Amino acid sequence: MSYLSDVLADVNRKYSYQPEFLQAVREVLETLEPVILKNEDFYKKEAVLERLVEPDRQIIFRVPWVDDAGNIRVNTGYRVQFNNSIGPYKGGIRFHPSVTLSVIKFLGFEQTFKNSLTGLPMGGGKGGSDFDPKGKSEREIMSFCQSFMTELYKYIGADVDVPAGDIGVGAREVGYMFGQFKRIKGSFEGVLTGKGLAYGGSLARKEATGYGLLYITEELFRCHGMSFAGRTVAISGAGNVAIHAAEKAMQLGALVVTMSDSNGWIYDPKGVDLAAVKEIKEVRRGRISEYIEYRPSAEYHEGRGVWGVKCDVALPCATQNELLLDDARTLAANGALAVVEGANMPTSIEATKYLQERGVLFVPGKASNAGGVAVSGLEMSQNSGRLSWSFEEVDAKLKDIMVNIYHNIEAAAAKYGMEGNYVAGANITGFEKVVSAMTAHGAC
Ligand code: NDP
């Protein structure tokens, strides 16, 4: 057995109960094979892969909070500090009932590579809780966020670990957590990103992941001699990433025809009315089913189904494993040109391989959704320099970063004879930088 397959077998054995984490590790390690084979003895002696797949530390804690009826409720909190070889740990916090240690580990592992791809000095980490913000009052959300931070504050800091938002955590939750950190520590520091603009947040952070996704998609099309304008786009999700992806896609001249949430999805062949989606999701905090009140001519369907709609470009922007083999078959049969991931690991390994084999351009989330963490990195720079850049300045830097990511992953794939395999290109680019830092630091 090769060094790589030995490590993969070990991880599979040790963490057989963590399916999402195993999926992420397998996806990365398999594509690193040509790199490892070139210098196997060195990587083995340095235990590079063993060090990459084992987080620096995993913090699990109880989060007690009081609901509106006066009952004490308890959730589980997590922070996995995966790898700080190239900078302080950095990665979002997710509040969703599906959160487990496996989910947080997969996200932290991916984040290490993603952060490296941005070219900014940020290590990888991720956190969250199985708390479900849906249906909770403002007071309950605040109570939960304060309790979560009452434990988490011990482990984070502007030069140590800088969390941000993710599913279920937006500006409101970041605000409550920031307030609690400041109160406990008595220190105003850039310990979280995605902050409100009044207290150290960056312009364009809210838009960054979705806009960045479209900047890389546009570059992908340009480099394949195609124009993006005029394309039909299917988007899943109706949260932060999906909304801003739709917004930029429309600005670039595309027609966005679908959006979804965990209950169902809408199809609007005339083009989604984004103002309506924003009002439903950002103001009313409602369900996507309410869209037909705004556009009676549109369709609403319960359950999954977005990928059954004929489109040129599919942008999965909701959650992990939402685009499976059958969906990939349908997309390819319907003539889709590209699948570019806005969410983290939305496409299963089988679906990814199928799309690649059929010549559908495929860009993995760790490259294509890196715009969010990139602007988080820019927020950290602004906080350290006590500065505030204009929207245009941040947006221009974001675009540069996304275009660079595309060219770097494209070149890395080509260097190892895997032209057009952006999954391999992203993993290799991220790997080479993190490993060169890690090995420079000795056995740690
Ligand atoms: P939000 O919470 O703002 O939105 C998530 C959207 O996905 C909602 O529409 C939600 O529907 C839907 N969704 C969540 N879980 C499921 C599920 N199990 N099945 C079906 N739909 C689901 O999150 P974000 O937009 O911030 O994040 C979306 C994805 O993008 C995640 O994978 C996240 O990790 C990734 N990402 C986010 C970044 C950011 O800057 N925010 C940066 C990089 C990646 P509902 O409201 O019904 O739950």
Side-chain angles (χ1 to χ4, degrees), residues 94 96 107 114 126 134 165-168 205 209 237-242 260-263 281 287 317-320 342-344 369 372:
R94 175 178 293 191
H96 194 273
L107 290 163
K114 180 191 307 192
K126 199 82 189 187
K134 275 198 209 89
D166 190 75
I167 291 179
R205 172 60 188 90
T209 309
N240 174 274
V241 179
S260 67
D261 63 20
S262 46
N263 293 106
K281 286 292 173 183
R287 311 307 302 155
C317 295
T319 192
Q320 63 271 8
N344 285 311
N369 72 27

Side-chain angles (χ1 to χ4, degrees), residues 61-65 71-76 129-131 144:
F61 49 98
R62 182 173 68 236
V63 190
W65 55 282
N71 304 307
I72 296 182
R73 310 265 290 263
V74 177
N75 287 94
T76 307
S129 173
D130 56 359
F131 172 73
F144 179 82

